[in-house]
Amino acid sequence: IRAVQISNYRAGKALLLNVHITHHAGTTFCDAMKQLGPAPAFACMRDDRDRDEWPPSLDHHRPWTRDETDGNAIALRKAYHFLSWE
């Protein structure tokens, strides 16, 4: 399963999502991920600076349900390769 997940990410079909525990190196991890590709502006979490890139089809709620994962991941992957939730 892990190899398939990595392959999907490399092919642009998967989104990396960090469930960030506040003040435990999430910002450092985010900075490293921004060097590899697009991520939301503020600590890899969505804020007003991202409104032009955030897919308009998403209503910004999180976490989303299991049934919403496929569509949300596809929409977000078009703008970002990584994002973080707190």
Side-chain angles (χ1 to χ4, degrees):
I1 291 176
R2 186 175 180 188
V4 172
Q5 291 170 328
I6 292 169
S7 176
N8 284 338
Y9 169 76
R10 288 181 175 158
K13 297 185 214 172
L15 174 71
L16 289 178
L17 176 63
N18 176 44
V19 179
H20 173 84
I21 300 170
T22 306
H23 305 298
H24 288 89
T27 301
T28 301
F29 186 58
C30 170
D31 289 343
M33 296 308 292
K34 283 181 178 182
Q35 293 176 24
L36 301 174
F42 176 71
C44 293
M45 294 181 270
R46 187 214 177 254
D47 75 353
D48 287 339
R49 289 171 276 192
D50 300 305
R51 81 179 74 125
D52 292 337
E53 297 174 11
W54 196 263
S57 61
L58 301 181
D59 65 5
H60 314 308
H61 74 282
R62 59 182 193 272
W64 53 62
T65 66
R66 176 176 58 104
D67 296 335
E68 297 171 303
T69 297
D70 185 50
N72 288 352
I74 290 168
L76 284 165
R77 187 60 164 104
K78 292 174 183 175
Y80 306 115
H81 85 108
F82 174 82
L83 63 110
S84 184
W85 286 346
E86 201 167 56

